[in-house]
Amino acid sequence: PYIWQEPTASQSVGLNLMAGALANKHVVLGVTGSIACYKALDLASKLVQGGALVDTIMSYGATQFVTPLAFRSITHRAVVTDSFDTNSEYSVEHVALAQRADVIVVAPATVHCIAKMALGLADDPLTTTIVAAKCPLVVAPAMDGNMYDHPATQFNIATLTNRGVVIAGPGIGRLASGLSGVGRLLETPELMGYISYAIGKNGDLSGRTLVVSAGGTMEPIDPVRVITNHSSGKMGYALAEAARDRGADVVLVTAPTNLPNSALVKVVQIQTAEEMGVAIQSHLDKADALVMAAAVADYKPSVLSDQKIKKSEDDLNISLAKTTDILKTATGNFVRVGFAAESQNLVENAKAKITNKKLDLIVANDITAEGSRFGSDTNKVTLIGRDMRVDELPLLTKYDVSNRILDRVRDLIGD
Ligand code: CTP
């Protein structure tokens, strides 16, 4: 029977360590009958790892692919399968479940379930919960390409979109039929992005546009070699995602990184400092804030050799020329946030950059400190405002650091 359970002790301990938009959120995961159901197990697992409390509702079809026990084992919570089960308390609980939910996610969503949701039918626990709920709804279609293309499906998806439902995917790739096409359930990390977005879309940055830069630029020497730095891009990506999760429209201008693209963020890929400058400036007319987390090369080779430089002498000298300072020269009316990566005299150097680059806020980090090295998932930063007030933050995940920066950005943007 469906019984509401408080989080277990281990879940509660986990919550304190969790970073992200999902911590402590009630997620109703609706699973409908598609072979992609097996992927919903991974989604359930990642949601739980993100600190969410996940209540699963399975359609009859879904239970033919994966057992309720599998979801129960992952979520540590009861799984609803049949509202007409006389042993089930669901018939009275579904309204409470709908009211408690911060988001409902239907993944995978079959063509049939999409049609039911579009019509507002309520003939099973999942659709009944959806009709009873006021929270955001994310629908992740998974089906054969022809079924997706069918005018009825397209009409139903358009109906849901117009109603404010967040449609996640489907992706393109290999389908269960063996053919390739549109219809694949999105992969878990992307789905997580859509879910975080849906939870926060009316957040305190909604209606705001943020331009964020990330990664270390690459300055070519010849067709084979580049000058770059150790920036992983994680801080900029975390900022972009945290801003998205508070409702902002985000443009992420990024140098090459190993990170997956952030869902629902406009990603502009560049390589050099010059390309980054052009891309950023072209998005600044609508921006409320520019947050420069990128490690921009200060120098680039004065001459770009169009042929590979051959090995000859023992010494090779490459002449370097200064790049343009993007932050300092960016024009427009927006809140300016810079980063200062320092290995000594942190506060002093960061304060000089505020004045020199006319910043509203600088995020200073000591790159030699434990937990703040390149590639780390955490960062220990000091925020310094225009008034030179110094706010030293504890060691936090980059997502949490981002939220502390965004609190300041929100206040700086004002009304
Ligand atoms: N920055 C920029 N354009 C550059 C160099 C840096 O927009 N050509 C931005 C960085 O993205 C960062 C801030 O300026 O937000 C400070 O970068 P940092 O490398 O710490 O300082 P620099 O001004 O380059 O000075 P130095 O390297 O001497 O510390």
Side-chain angles (χ1 to χ4, degrees), residues 69-256:
L69 180 62
F71 284 98
R72 190 184 180 123
S73 305
I74 286 171
T75 61
H76 308 290
R77 298 165 76 85
V79 173
V80 178
T81 55
D82 186 352
S83 56
F84 302 111
D85 176 353
T86 47
N87 291 321
S88 171
E89 292 180 27
Y90 178 75
S91 49
V92 284
E93 273 289 338
H94 74 265
V95 174
L97 192 57
Q99 280 171 355
R100 195 164 53 223
D102 293 298
V103 65
I104 299 179
V105 183
V106 186
T110 59
V111 77
H112 184 64
C113 180
I114 288 170
K116 289 204 292 186
M117 289 187 287
L119 279 174
L121 297 184
D123 66 343
D124 63 12
L126 177 60
T127 48
T128 308
T129 305
I130 288 169
V131 173
K134 287 207 164 80
C135 65
L137 173 61
V138 179
V139 171
M143 63 195 66
D144 168 71
N146 286 343
M147 294 169 93
Y148 178 69
D149 287 340
H150 193 282
T153 309
Q154 289 301 314
F155 182 83
N156 290 332
I157 288 177
T159 302
L160 292 173
T161 303
N162 291 337
R163 206 180 282 158
V165 174
V166 177
I167 304 291
I172 302 171
R174 191 180 180 283
L175 304 174
S177 61
L179 299 172
S180 247
V182 184
R184 264 176 81 85
L185 183 69
L186 290 186
E187 298 303 323
T188 302
E190 232 177 322
L191 288 176
M192 298 283 283
Y194 277 89
I195 297 165
S196 302
Y197 159 83
I199 292 173
K201 71 182 170 139
N202 297 319
D204 59 357
L205 290 175
S206 110
R208 303 301 191 187
T209 300
L210 267 65
V211 178
V212 178
S213 68
T217 63
M218 285 187 176
E219 310 301 327
I221 299 169
D222 68 12
V224 184
R225 292 118 176 167
V226 295
I227 297 177
T228 186
N229 57 67
H230 287 304
S231 170
S232 66
K234 285 182 179 174
M235 192 63 237
Y237 277 62
L239 267 160
E241 290 175 12
R244 171 202 65 196
D245 298 346
R246 292 167 74 151
D249 286 329
V250 182
V251 180
L252 176 64
V253 180
T254 176

